[in-house]
Each structure stands twice: as C-alpha cells, then as structure tokens.
Amino acid sequence: MPETQQPAGRDDKEPGRTSPAGRAARRQTAARQRWLRLAAALLPLIALAFLSACANEAIGGPSGEPLDASTIDVKSDWNQDIFNLYTLVFLLAGVVFIIVETALLYSVFRFRRRPGDRLPRQIHGNNLVEIGWTLAPALLLVVVAIPTVQLIIRQESPPPPDSLRVEIIGHQFWWEVRYPDLGVVTANEIHIPVGRTAAFSLTSADVQHAFWIPKMGGKKDLYPNRVNQMHFNPFETGVYYGQCSELCGESHAFMKLRLMVDEPAAFDRWAAEQNVPTTPLFDDRARFERGQLLFNQCVACHVLYGHPNPAANQPAGKIGPNLTRIGSRTTIAAGWLDNTPANLVRWIRNPDAIKPGNKMIAFENLSQEDLEALAYYLTSQK
Amino acid sequence: MATTTQAPPRVLRRPVEAPSGLWSWLTTVDHKRIGVLYGVSSFLFFLAGGIDALLIRLQLGKPMNELFSPDHYNGFVTMHATTMIFMALMPMSVAFFNYIVPLQIGARDVAFPRLNAFSFWVFLLGGLIMSSSYLVDAIPNQGWYGYAPLTIREYSPGLNVDFWIVGLQILGVATIAGAINFFVTIINMRAPGMSLMRMPLFCWMTLITTVLILLAFPVFTIALTELLFDRHFGTTFFDSTRGADPLLWQHLFWIFGHPEVYILIMPAFGIISEIIPVFSRKPLFGYAAMVLASMAIAFLGFGVWAHHMFTTGAGPVAYTFFALSTMLIAVPTGVKIFNWLGTLYGGSINLRPPMLFAVGFIGTFVIGGLSGVMHGTVPVDWQQSDSYWIVAHIHYVLFGGTMFALFAGIHYWWPKFTGTMLNDKLGQATFWTMLVAFHVTFFPMHFLGTAGMPRRMSIYPTGTGWDFWNLVATVGAFALAASVWLFVMNAFISLRRGEPAGNDPWDGATLEWAIASPPPVYNFARIPTVSSRDPLWVEKRSEETAVELGFAPRRAVAVVADPVEARVHMPNPSFWPLVAAVGLSMIFAGFLMPWYLGAFPLITLLGIPVLMVGITSWSFEPAG
Amino acid sequence: MSRDYPGADAEARHGSTAHDAHAHPTPATYIKIAVILLIITIAEVVVLYIPSETEGFGLTWFQPVLIPAFLILAAIKFVIVVGYYMHLKFDDSFFLRVFGFALLIALTIATAVIALFHGISL
Amino acid sequence: MARAIAHDEQGRLLPQAGHGDSDIHDHGHDDHGGEHPTSTGLNNVKVLMWTFIASECLLFGSLISTYLAVEGRTIPNTPGPELFDIPYTSVSAFVLLFSSLSMVLALAGLQAGDQRQLRIWLFVTAALGLVFLGGQYYEFSTFYFEEFWLDKNFLGSSFFLLTGFHGAHVTVGVIWLLALWLYSLRYGIAPEKSLLVEISGLYWHFVDVVWIVIFAVVYLIPYSRIEGGGH
C-alpha cells in the first residue's frame, strides 16, 4: 500500500519496524491486560458470592423483627410460581450471557491486530448464519413465553371461594386495612392466617401507590377510582416486611407495612379481639383519663372504638388511621417507628419532623406531660 | 489518490473563514458549529445530571441517612432522570447527527440550516428553564414519568411540576423540529450514488430515530398539554378527585416513553456499527439484516408500551399481548448483537479507545438486554418492577449502552471535530475506570432489587440487608465520576496540545474522513459521488489489494483534490432562529409566572409576537 | 423567498414530470369532488336522524350500524380530500408512504388505547 | 462467503464516478444549474410539510384517543353530547370543506398563470377559515352559557382541548393564507413559486381532514348514542 493510505494510528506500525524485543514486550503487556479483563469478567461472580454470604446474616429492624425482604426467600404459593419462572429465565439468560460474552472475548483476543496483519477477508454476511441467529433466540423465547402466559392466566383468575377477603386502601403515606367479612378495620399491620388464600382488593384514596410484600410475591398498583385484585397463600407464619413501591409523594420512603402471618387459631383470636370494645390495660387511672380527655382533639380524624366521645366511634369521614387497639401494634407511623410511648410522644408533637408532608397536624402546643398522658392512653389500648 | 487537500472555493457568498466571537456563535447556521454547541451543552447537562446522581448515591450510601430531605431527594431522582434523558443523552446524540450525518451523506449542510439553529436554541432555553427550578427551590419531584394523579394540583401544589411540564414542552418542540430536519436531510440531501442501502449505518439509525421521535413525541406533547390544562385551567383529564381514570396518563406516557427508549439507544447502535468495522478493518457483517432489524425494533417499539405497566392490573389479555410483543422485540435486538460479533470475528481488531468503548458497549448492553427480557416475563416483572432491578436494567441500557456508545463516538470523531488526537493512554484509562466503576455501581443494584429494595426511596432503615451493596454502589458512582473527569482532562489536553490528527487517523470507511479535520465550512469542495457502502476504503485500497480481496478497483469518491465547484452556496448566519426560540420559550415559561401579578398571561402573550416576529423575519430575510 | 426553499427550480422540474405523467385534475374535477363531499356530509346528518324519525317504520335496526356508517363515510371523505385535494393520488408515492405509515401507527395505537379502556381491561 | 463482493454487484449499477464531470449535475433531469437538487427529486420543503403532517397525525390521534377513552365516564348532572347542534356543526364542516375547494382552485389558478384567480381564491379560503373560526367561537360561547365548559367534566375537557387545538391550527392557517394573499397582492407569486401555495395548501387540507374525523367521531357518534337517538 502506498504511504498515503496508511492510517495515522500509532500502534499500527509496519512489522519490519518493530524489533523482536519490542514484540515480546507487547506480548507481555497483552497478557497483563488479559488478566485484568478476566478479573473484570469475574467481578459479578465474586459479587454473587458476597450476596449469598450477606443473605444469611442475622438482621433485625427497629422492633427487633427481621426486615429483610428478599424476593427469592419464597414464603407463598404465588412467589413460588414466580421464583420457578425466574429461575428458568435466569438460567436461559445466563446461558445466552455466557455464549455472547465468550464469543465477544474470544473474537477480541483471537483476532487482535498484530503487527504485519494483512487486511482480513472482507465478509459482508452469511444468510444461513443470520437466519440461524434470528431463529435460535426466537425459539428460546417461546420456551419462556409458554410458562409466562400460563402463570399470567393462573394468577389473574379468581381466588378460591374460601379465601379471606382483605381490602387495602392506600393513603399518603399509610395503609388502611379492612376485612369486610370480619368487620375489622386496622392500619399498616395486616394479619392473615397461614395456609389460607388471602384475596386482596386494592384501591387508593389519593395518589397511586404499589403494594409489595416481596416474600409473598409481586406487587400491584393501587389507584383511585380503580380496584385491583391479587391473592396468595402464605405457607409459613412470621412477620413480613412490605413497602409502598410507587413514588407517592414526599414521604414515600416512609410508607412501610407489616404482614403478620399467624396460625389460624391465633388469627381467629386476633380477629375476634378487634371486634369487641377495648378493655384498656392501665395502672395509672389519672393519667389514663387525662389522655382520654386529650384524645378528644384527635377524634376529628381518627376512630378509636371504646372512646367515650361518640365521634371517636364514627368511622365516616375520618382521614387518619383507625387507632382501635393501637397498643397491640408493633409499629406506628406506617411501620416507620417502634410502638413505644416515647416514639408516640415524638410523633404526636411533630409528625412532620419524622414524615414530612404527611397529613397529621402537629400538637406542639401540648406540654410534655400531656403528650405522655396521651401516649399512655394510646398504649393502653391493647 | 487519497490526498484530500481542499483549495478554498472560488465563489462564495460568505467568508470562507468562519468568523469568531460570541455573535458568530449566536447566529451560526453551520451544522458543524451547531453540532459543537449541542455537544458542549449536552455534556454540561450530563455533568449536572451526574451531580444529581452523586447526591442520590451520597444519600443512599448508608441507612437512615438524613443528609437530604425527602423532598430534595425526590427532586434529585426526578431531575437526574429528566436531565439525563432529555438534556444529556438525546441532545448528545443530536450533536452527532448534526456534525456527522451531513458529512457522511456527502452534504454541505442540513436541509434547513436555520431550523437547525432554532432547534438548538429552543433545546438550550428549555434545558435552562427546567434547571432554573434549582434556583427557586422548586425542583420537579414527582418522578421523571410524572404519574398522575400525583402531578395534579391537588397533590403537587408547588411550581415543581410546572417546571417539569414547561421544560419538557419546550424540549419537545426542539426535538420534533430537529427530527423533521434530519429526516428531510437524510431523505433528500444524500450525495449522488448514495442510495439508502449504501448509507452508513449511523445515518440509518439517525433516520429511524427521527421517525420514532416524529411519531412518539406528539403523544407526549398532548399528555403534557392535558396535564398543564388540568393544573391551570381546571380540566379533568387526570383529576382523580373528580373521577378520572389514572391509567390514561400512564398509557399516553408510555406510548411515548417506550419509543423514547429506542430513541435513546438507536443512535448508540449507529455509532457502534460505525466503529466496529473500522477498527476490525472489515465491513459490517449483515448490513441489510442490521437495517431490517432496526426497522423492526422501531416498528415493534410502538406495540410494547404497556410492558411498563405490568403491575397496573391491566388484565391477562393485555399482559399476554404485551409480554409476547416484548419478547418478540428481543429477536431483532439479538440480531444486531450477533452481527457485531460477526463483524469482529475474523477481523483485525485494533483496541484503540473508541473500539474499547464499543466492545465494552456490547458486553454491557447484553446484560441490560437480558435483564430486559426478564422484565418482559410478566410474573417475574411483578417482583422486579419498581425495584432496584429496574434501576440496574435502565443503567445497563442507558449508561452501559447509550453512554458508552456516545463516549465511543466522542473518542472516534474527536479528531474530526477538533483536528487533534485525544491521548491514547488517558483514553484507555478512561475506559477501564469507567468500565469497572460502572459495574461496581450498577451490578449490585441487581442484588438490591432481589433483596426487595424499591426504587426512589429517600431513606431506608437499618437491618434490611441493603446497606453493603448500597455503599458499594456509592463508591462505584464516585469512581464513575472520576472516569468522566479523566475524559474531561483528556479533552482539555488534546485541545491545548494534542497531536494533529490529519484527515483520516483511523483508516475510516466513510466520507467524513475524506476531508480535512476539522472540515471546512463548505465540507466538500466538490460533492462526492458514491458507489459503495464503504466508499473511502474502496478508494484507498490499491488495485492489487482490492483485486485480491474481491473488490473491483475503482475510485468511489470524487471529492478529493478536485477543483472546487463554481457555485458553492452556503447559508448566511441569522439571529432570527434565536429570536423565535426566545419567543417560543416565553410562551411556555409564562406558565411558571404567578397569576396574581398578571404575569402569567403577560409573558405568554408577549411571547407570541416575539415568536411571530422571529418566524416572519426568518421567512423574509434575504436568501443567502 | 428564503434559501430554505432551495429547490424552487427542482420543484418546477419535479412538478413538470408529475404533470406529464398523471396530469392534475382540472378545476371542474375539484368542483365535482366538492359536490360529492357535500352529499356525503348531508348523508351523515340524514343517517344520524334515521333511527329516531323512522321508529314507527321498523327501521330501528339501523341504530347498531350507525357508528360503522359514520366511520365509513368519514373515511371516504378523508380519502377523497387527501387523494385529490392534497394530490396524494398523483404525487410521488414517497409522500403516501410517509403519511400512510404515521396514519397506520396512529390508528393502531388509538384502537389499542380505546380497547384497553372500554373492553379488554376487564 | 455469500456476499463477499457486494461492492461489485452494486457498484456496477450506478453511474461511474470520477471520470470527468459526472458529478451532481447529471444527476436528475434538467436541472437549471442553480439550487441543490435533492436525492429523491422531491422538494425539501414539501417533504418537510408531509413529515410534519405525518407527525400531526399522532398529535390529533392522541387527542381523539383521549376523547374516546374518557367518553362515557360521566360526572352526574353535567352536560353531555345532547348539547351538540348537529345541523349547525355540519354547516361549519362544509364551510371548511369548501375552503379546501377554494384552496385547490387557488393553486390551480396559480399553476395556470392566473394571478387574479390565485388572489380571489386565496382570499376566499382565508375568509372561509375566518367564518369557521367565528362559528367555533359562537359554538363555544353557547356551550359556555349552557354550563358546558372544559372544567365541567371529561367530555368537556377533551372536547374543548381537541376542538381548541384544531381551532388553533385553523388560526395559524388563516394567518398564513392572509400573509400569502397580501404577498400576492403586493408582489405577485410567480408560477414557478407555486410551491409556496402548494405547501400552505397541504397544511390547510390536512386541517380540513382532521375536521372530517372530528365531525364524525366527536359530534356524530356520541350524539347518536344518546338515549332516544337524534332528538
């Protein structure tokens, strides 16, 4: 080739101009780079090993119960289905990944330009090969598509007739939980029995939310003016961590929930307790009564069955969570704080400092003593 | 032969030497200068979006972190995505369209040079108006997808959402105007002999991108207009408090939003398809298949939008339809990857920085593509949707994909833009830092998603098991920033004392390498005639080589060393596009003004005459 | 006017080839077309009032076919205007392809959205 | 391999480059030696206008989709399609159809070299556009006084946004046509420049075509579905 056609690239020298020693050095550099590249390729695998180590770590949330919410820690029939499909897709994707990356790395190493290389054969294509690599992925996708469609149909069909019906209503930034068959209304902590399908109706009172308990299965959105359905059958008792997973405003990150999967007997007991008026447990009557009196300021927004004020027993038009038996809940503020008197005081004094943008008004005018009395009253509602 | 010196044209109606100074930049209609303007401003927006990303990662570096308020955090999340998508990646692609497409098709400019200037100014003003939300502490904070009803006045009373709507409306006008221009340019301004099936793949991808923009952006314009009317004139499109169906917004948004993803990735495909053949010294494998696959992706791209809505309760029929169409789209995408591998295979591969980025692109994009197939599998998506899986996926596609390709393009065409080479060592360092940092940042997000971490969380409690990988991702993000800094250093060094590049430093195959670097104002002294897909290669390779390799020897490009045509006719500079852009921006920016001072109607109404004066003067100013 | 109209000459050239090949319709044709459009518009309005005016005559069956009838009549008008007044019938097929493709996408998406909101979403 | 010599196959079909002056000037037919000829032989501005129209299809498509998607979601005690005055609107529709006729007549006049025809029909077209806009203003104000407005319900929102968008397009068209008309009065438009009129005509006809769809989908269909049929 004439000089003028030579590209100006610096490592593109003619073979004759490189000394044997230089060539050896280059080979060495190439080898070093090869190791670097191998390390980079292995990085994901190393990372995976880390993950498996971390998954087994003992962890505890603010209330001591586990907060881990791994999607692959399967605790319901629905998540089992998802996990099986996930495994299938993951393995197929893994195979494709390995094939493509191997082909890529092989080509790059094998056909690395060496000094003195001639112009490679100018191939423009090969119909047979191209048809092959169009059809092969298509076939692979059929393998994925069939179970996908099966599972869609299974999950979208109605739940068994003996399911426990639960209505979830999303609010900025808490969950209202209703059991239409049991007449129970609660908030943020959902109790369901193990081994029985729970069928959820999901809707929203304001903006869009998404209901997600990762160990139980996927998520589903909650919309105003729309009701969505989902159902699953948990097969292990325990406390499961959930979280709103659609940006719903300023305090979206604070919109947690707990799913308590109980033994059937324990669930029935819990449900029955919710229906009878609270028998408050207290030992300081004066404090209790002071708190009860102060609670009159709360009845415009909150229901608390058993409070002497009739407005507190009237659910219509209430925008805050139902506080009946709040003393028996483990957390407050949509699962963000442990349910302790100190936290209740903090919360009531200035909710905005904990969850900015929430609708509860601050009670900073109340004295510390009053706040503690109110917290005492609420804690007694077991 | 391939000596490519230009004598200045004999007859020009404007000075050959580009005038310098601020005024010349404000009035320029030269596609190369507009390309530079697009490139620089989109890179600055890229840095701004990157700072948002670092703030996000700082906040998530440890659990219970209260560094930023949730409101600001939501703002960073929204602006990071909005800035990156609309103000960094798209315009950076447009910078390449501007600079490279006319050169590759052998044209002297785009079809409508002043419309081109208008597009740029509108884009810049839109971006600045959107970014100015930081100054008044009203950062859009509702997510880049702006799901109603969170965005209606009832739930977002501040100016935050208005900034977002107004900014995007202005940017949308810029995008549509630019797309029409490049569509016409590619259809109509090709050099003689350059049939569509001889166009460089980058031009093909530009053409397909413009079609996607023209068909997708109007839908977004309407959705935004409806939201704007909801917020300002009391309409009820998305007002759930008056019975609206919240899914209407989602459908309109994703009918636009999914093609938008392809708008972001198609130019990247084009850049990669230019670089791989050149650095393998081998023509693109399966050119026709690549073109057809891209068309298929673009076409199918309009039929998959609801795969962003698999948790909305759309029902089994919709789920099935959109799952299958999504899987179908993986086939042409696979074809593209395999064709690149086919090009590499048997080539003579030179791992200079552009090629490193291109190879890195393929390796990374494959991961993003595969996780995309997983999301297309509806039940799996029920778990992964809105979790960190999606964050990982989008970054593998848009950073590991588009951004790597754009960096590849920058390293590849930098010599053409500036006339100087980038430093090779620094380029290598940029690539390796970026590759490793990228994977350190985003691979752990797959684990976080699997561990049940939802996205857009301003704070997370201790004891969730998410701490470690979040910390890793944060460290990775800063390393990524360092790699970008390496590139910036490299760029400055190259501009100050880079080696002269010459016309054709990479042994390029396409027309832009036939002319000087940077190209003269008129690009080609004589419009070339093209008779092959890799015109410059065919011309450069000597007869014997060509015969041996199966070429018929011929001169494919008639550009070089020919006398300049007698009637080179270049457009005059004009500032009317800038005036029109200001008027247009005023019309929308009025919506950010408070009603009570009468400023809202005032600014908007003032904008109309400014726009009209701009357009009228633009139409009637003397032809160049 | 402006250099954004670079091809005034080229257009004249192209225009002349188009004339040679197909010959644009004459003003008389345009007027005939306008009459047809008028008739179809009148037909639309008449069709709208048929069901209510003819209840006594057993023509109530017409109600269900009203919507398709409107759509077909509108489509005919659409095609006539685009084909003759916009010269798409006589012009380069490139324009037909550009317009047709956009129309196809628009119709498909519109149909899908309407179906999602009114039917299969349940 | 199979397509190893694609260059060869394709190159042969095209005019050989590089010999003498076989450059752009013998591409195309009888180029008058002036402006850039285009690859397709089609005029840039015309391609621009058709591309713009294609894009507009999606714009109006989304508006109409919105209208049809929310149609039927009623807020109790708010007005609906029973307010539509079909005979009145059909007159409006025909005004716009007739303006399309006058537009093609203007173009035909210009192409026949008849400046008088051009001016008359351009003016008639713009005037008909104004009549249509006046009709729309009257219709809107009537609806407003009958409590049917864009903040009342979905039908109102989507109806006024859609027809308002269309009205805005008509307004732009009228301004454009009046500018052309004034230009033709002052300077005249040479028949070679008929493109100026053709482009505005394309826009104008497209606006008309949109109204054809709106008339059927927005007015006739909902009206036909109210209880009791037409009246």
Side-chain angles (χ1 to χ4, degrees), chain B residues 468-530:
Chain B
F468 177 71
W469 290 117
N470 268 310
L471 183 63
V472 171
T474 300
V475 172
F478 280 87
L480 256 184
S483 72
V484 174
W485 180 72
L486 281 178
F487 164 73
V488 174
M489 268 197 355
N490 198 352
F492 275 110
I493 292 174
S494 162
L495 287 177
R496 280 177 166 252
R497 45 169 202 274
E499 278 177 55
N503 292 358
D504 183 15
W506 312 119
D507 187 18
T510 40
L511 290 179
E512 74 268 32
W513 303 109
I515 54 175
S517 310
V521 179
Y522 47 84
N523 293 352
F524 298 93
R526 176 183 276 275
I527 297 295
T529 302
V530 176

Side-chain angles (χ1 to χ4, degrees), chain A residues 319-332:
Chain A
I319 62 163
N322 187 319
L323 298 181
T324 310
R325 289 183 184 274
I326 183 174
S328 65
R329 296 184 198 156
T330 57
T331 56
I332 56 168

Side-chain angles (χ1 to χ4, degrees), chain B residues 12-78:
Chain B
L12 275 187
R13 296 189 197 173
R14 64 185 264 182
V16 184
E17 297 305 321
S20 56
L22 182 65
W23 187 246
S24 74
W25 285 96
L26 288 176
T27 58
T28 185
V29 295
D30 176 0
H31 73 97
K32 298 176 288 295
R33 285 189 148 206
I34 293 173
V36 170
L37 286 172
Y38 260 114
V40 171
S41 32
S42 62
F43 195 81
L44 292 177
F45 281 124
F46 172 69
L47 296 182
I51 290 170
D52 283 332
L54 292 181
L55 298 180
I56 293 168
R57 284 319 317 170
L58 269 183
Q59 171 83 345
L60 295 180
K62 65 183 175 92
M64 295 304 287
N65 194 355
E66 290 179 343
L67 183 62
F68 300 113
S69 72
D71 195 36
H72 281 140
Y73 177 86
N74 292 344
F76 299 151
V77 168
T78 306

